[in-house]
Amino acid sequence: MKTYELCAPLSEEDVIQLEVGDLVYISGPAFSCRSRLHRYVLDEGHKFPLPPGERNVLLHAGPIMKKNAESWDVISYMPTSSIRFEKWGALSVDQWKLRMIVGKTTMGEKTRQMMQKKKCVHVSPQCVSPNLWIDSISVEDVKLFDELGSIEATWCLRLGKLGPFVVDIDCKGNELFKKVNREVDKNRIAAMRMLNIPEDFEYTKLY
């Protein structure tokens, strides 16, 4: 396991060196995105609000913002679960020219295949720390605020050593959570045998 400090926009060389389990800190421009932007652009056919590839780090998040006289402050930031967006994952990697997606959990098979093809990675937070990260994020601009609302808007952000995040899908097609799940299943079966619990055991249904 290695630790990297990367500066966006990310190059292909930046991401192909990453392997599952590596830790990453990210600086530079990024943008936020939730379900509504995916539907707005990829389902409804509206124009993507940024030049594709200009910001190639996508944050699956709806940050909480506070409006000041001439600027916005980040009040709270926490990545949301990326698997929620699997329907659009492969398309967003391809059409928006992404190099990194930051989100909780992981993504599905179609997105993994596109990440391997287009050289993009998925990284996950190691902890839940919505207010510890806000000093590492500043707002540069906001797109589609009127159309999507503050939580679902596309926030153009500037990151300052945001992290650490763990690489859970790399450019080689490896997936950290699948590896972890295999170990968990192996240990679970061994534990059940040690306790003489049958393999067809089912949990008690309360309702």
Side-chain angles (χ1 to χ4, degrees):
M1 183 183 74
K2 298 180 180 179
T3 299
Y4 295 88
E5 294 183 12
L6 301 179
C7 188
L10 302 178
S11 67
E12 182 174 320
E13 291 71 24
D14 286 329
V15 296
I16 61 175
Q17 66 184 327
L18 302 177
E19 298 182 353
V20 292
D22 287 343
L23 295 181
V24 179
Y25 293 85
I26 313 153
S27 299
F31 71 99
S32 69
C33 172
R34 283 170 53 94
S35 301
R36 189 68 187 93
L37 180 68
H38 286 97
R39 293 199 302 269
Y40 187 81
V41 174
L42 300 175
D43 289 350
E44 299 171 12
H46 296 280
K47 185 179 179 181
F48 187 60
L50 302 169
E54 179 182 78
R55 292 175 185 262
N56 59 15
V57 175
L58 182 156
L59 309 178
H60 279 161
I64 307 298
M65 301 293 189
K66 179 182 178 182
K67 184 73 164 70
N68 296 317
E70 297 181 359
S71 64
W72 292 89
D73 287 339
V74 183
I75 301 302
S76 182
Y77 162 82
M78 184 68 207
T80 191
S81 295
S82 292
I83 195 65
R84 296 169 49 201
F85 313 115
E86 176 59 21
K87 173 185 176 182
W88 307 284
L91 282 175
S92 64
V93 169
D94 183 24
Q95 295 186 16
W96 302 349
K97 301 186 185 303
L98 303 177
R99 292 291 182 200
M100 178 179 287
I101 295 177
V102 180
K104 286 191 300 187
T105 65
T106 187
M107 300 203 74
E109 182 62 18
K110 289 184 178 179
T111 303
R112 184 199 64 77
Q113 291 178 4
M114 185 61 74
M115 286 181 162
Q116 187 173 6
K117 179 180 178 181
K118 296 294 184 177
K119 307 308 176 191
C120 178
V121 299
H122 186 276
V123 302
S124 298
Q126 286 193 305
C127 59
V128 179
S129 53
N131 294 319
L132 296 179
W133 280 326
I134 57 176
D135 290 337
S136 298
I137 306 172
S138 59
V139 178
E140 293 187 330
D141 196 5
V142 58
K143 307 290 186 182
L144 303 177
F145 183 90
D146 292 334
E147 293 89 340
L148 307 183
S150 64
I151 300 297
E152 301 280 346
T154 300
W155 292 95
C156 298
L157 305 171
R158 174 70 53 172
L159 311 181
K161 199 177 178 182
L162 184 66
F165 300 99
V166 61
V167 179
D168 64 272
I169 300 177
D170 64 22
C171 293
K172 305 171 187 68
N174 301 310
E175 295 184 64
L176 178 63
F177 289 114
K178 278 190 175 181
K179 179 181 177 181
V180 170
N181 286 338
R182 285 195 294 268
E183 292 299 316
V184 169
D185 287 341
K186 186 191 305 180
N187 292 335
R188 178 179 55 82
I189 292 170
M192 290 175 68
R193 288 174 178 169
M194 182 180 69
L195 297 170
N196 293 317
I197 299 174
E199 291 189 12
D200 61 352
F201 165 81
E202 293 184 2
Y203 295 103
T204 301
K205 295 180 181 179
L206 298 179
Y207 303 102

